[in-house]
Amino acid sequence: MSIKSRGWGGEITIRNVISRNLALLLCLCSFFAGILFTNRLWMVPESWPSRIAVERINFEPEDCNQKIIAAARAIQESSIHHDSPVLGNSKTVQSALKKKYFMVMGINTAFNSRKRRDSVRATWMPQGEERKKLEEEKGILIRFVIGHSATAGGILDKAIEAEELIHGDFLRLNHVEGYLELSAKTKTYFSTAVSLWDAEFYIKVDDDVHVNLATLGTILSRHRVKRRVYIGCMKSGPVLARKGVKYHEPEFWKFGEVGNKYFRHATGQLYAISKDLATYISVNQDVLHKYANEDVSLGSWFIGLDVDQVDDRRLCCGTPPDCVWKGMSGNTCAASFDWRCSGICRSIERMMDVHQRCGEDKNALWNARFLE
């Protein structure tokens, strides 16, 4: 850069060379000052995919442009790796880049349920390239949900890792598995899922329930305009105070006199919640109370909130002949199981039969349109 002035001897040219580091600093200062004044600030979201595509930002001159892009990328990558926010408003870079899904479905499973998972894979859960097509074209993402064993890296965890290498259909949670920890697992599932995937609905289903994905998607699509919606088969069962019985509630006294019923909540075999409710769980997970039964816990988290509670009995049909009769009448079931077993009784042996007799037309899913 040169500066010209006039002195006794005429025009004198004074040249000051500014270091390259100072030039870069000036570029960055100009860049961030422009962002601040135009209120176009960035925030790194709560989570980020492993591969990040950052759009080019066109500025002039070209040399300054390249330095700004490199610096912006460095800031984003640094924040991602350190889980620290960058200045920004409520809209995030992640929300602009993450793929939008219609629904994320987590199939609750356990270490000893390999055969149950295989029965689901062999029936209503698409596999291989069809599963990828389901995600890309229909916006439906399905994963088996499981945490870790009490002995980290033990034989149980290694078995799941080996199964994951074959199928690639697990969502591993930062959670220690255990029957009495289902409420905690449910909380961790929704918090994890909403941080990883941007979807309209988040669903939890057990691995011994038969699901018709097209019918389920059609049901959910009718409620997509509701920001806070909780969909399932609503019930209000008794609070079991006696120790030693299944579904015993140690905190029965919180629900009034012995013999009282719970507030209405969705049965645990399958339910769906909207993105706003999943986000609410994620943000408040540290203060949400856990009762003995996970479906009760979920329902309790929404009490006092402005939530649309939808009771749809197609989410809790019986196995044949019940789902057969309903299908013949044009009222295809979205989910089928046996109440007495809290799932399909002997699901490993019977899942295929239920699928063949109560499953929707094989083209129904691929002909359906869910993404807007």
Side-chain angles (χ1 to χ4, degrees), residues 233 267 311-318 322 326 335-337 339:
C233 283
T267 185
D311 180 20
D312 196 312
R313 311 316 287 184
R314 288 172 294 175
L315 300 179
C316 54
C317 295
D322 182 48
K326 291 176 179 175
S336 300
F337 58 89
W339 284 104

Side-chain angles (χ1 to χ4, degrees), residues 105-110 117 120 124-125 142-146 169-170 185 189 203-209:
M105 174 179 284
I107 306 175
N108 187 42
T109 193
R117 292 190 290 272
V120 170
W124 59 266
M125 179 181 177
I142 307 174
R143 295 290 187 271
F144 287 103
V145 178
I146 194 167
D169 56 6
F170 280 93
K185 183 176 181 179
Y189 159 62
I203 301 159
K204 176 262 178 180
V205 61
D206 289 338
D207 61 6
D208 56 355
V209 173

Side-chain angles (χ1 to χ4, degrees), residues 116-356:
R116 281 189 179 184
R117 292 190 290 272
D118 285 342
S119 71
V120 170
R121 293 181 179 120
T123 52
W124 59 266
M125 179 181 177
Q127 296 296 295
E129 291 302 316
E130 280 201 342
R131 183 161 61 85
K132 294 180 182 178
K133 179 181 177 182
L134 185 68
E135 296 175 9
E136 294 171 1
E137 296 185 9
K138 303 302 176 183
I140 299 176
L141 187 145
I142 307 174
R143 295 290 187 271
F144 287 103
V145 178
I146 194 167
H148 297 273
S149 66
T151 306
I155 188 171
L156 295 176
D157 291 305
K158 291 186 181 300
I160 293 296
E161 291 166 7
E163 192 176 342
E164 167 69 3
L165 288 175
I166 297 172
H167 298 283
D169 56 6
F170 280 93
L171 169 60
R172 300 300 300 275
L173 302 178
N174 182 19
H175 166 80
V176 177
E177 288 288 323
Y179 180 76
L180 298 179
E181 298 299 326
L182 289 178
S183 292
K185 183 176 181 179
T186 299
K187 187 192 301 185
T188 303
Y189 159 62
F190 283 118
S191 300
T192 304
V194 78
S195 72
L196 291 175
W197 301 296
D198 183 6
E200 295 184 57
F201 296 98
Y202 297 84
I203 301 159
K204 176 262 178 180
V205 61
D206 289 338
D207 61 6
D208 56 355
V209 173
H210 180 269
V211 179
N212 282 322
L213 292 171
T215 303
L216 176 61
T218 300
I219 292 172
L220 297 183
S221 65
R222 293 171 181 167
H223 303 286
R224 69 195 319 164
V225 297
K226 302 172 182 176
R227 293 191 58 186
R228 294 174 297 277
V229 62
Y230 171 35
I231 307 171
C233 283
M234 300 299 167
K235 66 176 183 178
S236 179
V239 180
L240 301 180
R242 187 162 62 89
K243 292 183 178 180
V245 300
K246 192 175 183 181
Y247 307 128
H248 164 63
E249 177 58 73
E251 296 181 276
F252 63 90
W253 55 273
K254 289 186 176 181
F255 298 92
E257 300 298 325
V258 173
N260 276 6
K261 291 185 176 182
Y262 287 115
F263 43 80
R264 287 180 66 79
H265 61 279
T267 185
Q269 284 81 2
L270 185 150
Y271 46 73
I273 61 175
S274 58
K275 180 181 178 180
D276 276 15
L277 293 182
T279 302
Y280 173 82
I281 293 173
S282 178
V283 171
N284 297 283
Q285 57 184 303
D286 292 337
V287 295
L288 295 177
H289 186 69
K290 303 184 297 292
Y291 290 103
N293 302 300
E294 54 99 6
D295 53 355
V296 172
S297 293
L298 183 79
S300 72
W301 299 337
F302 302 147
I303 289 179
L305 302 183
D306 186 10
V307 174
D308 286 295
Q309 191 177 99
V310 177
D311 180 20
D312 196 312
R313 311 316 287 184
R314 288 172 294 175
L315 300 179
C316 54
C317 295
T319 57
D322 182 48
C323 55
V324 176
W325 294 337
K326 291 176 179 175
M328 292 174 63
S329 66
N331 195 25
T332 304
C333 295
S336 300
F337 58 89
D338 299 306
W339 284 104
R340 70 180 184 277
C341 298
S342 298
I344 296 176
C345 299
R346 296 182 292 107
S347 65
I348 297 170
E349 295 84 10
R350 296 183 58 228
M351 184 67 77
M352 182 59 74
D353 177 65
V354 174
H355 182 65
Q356 291 175 342

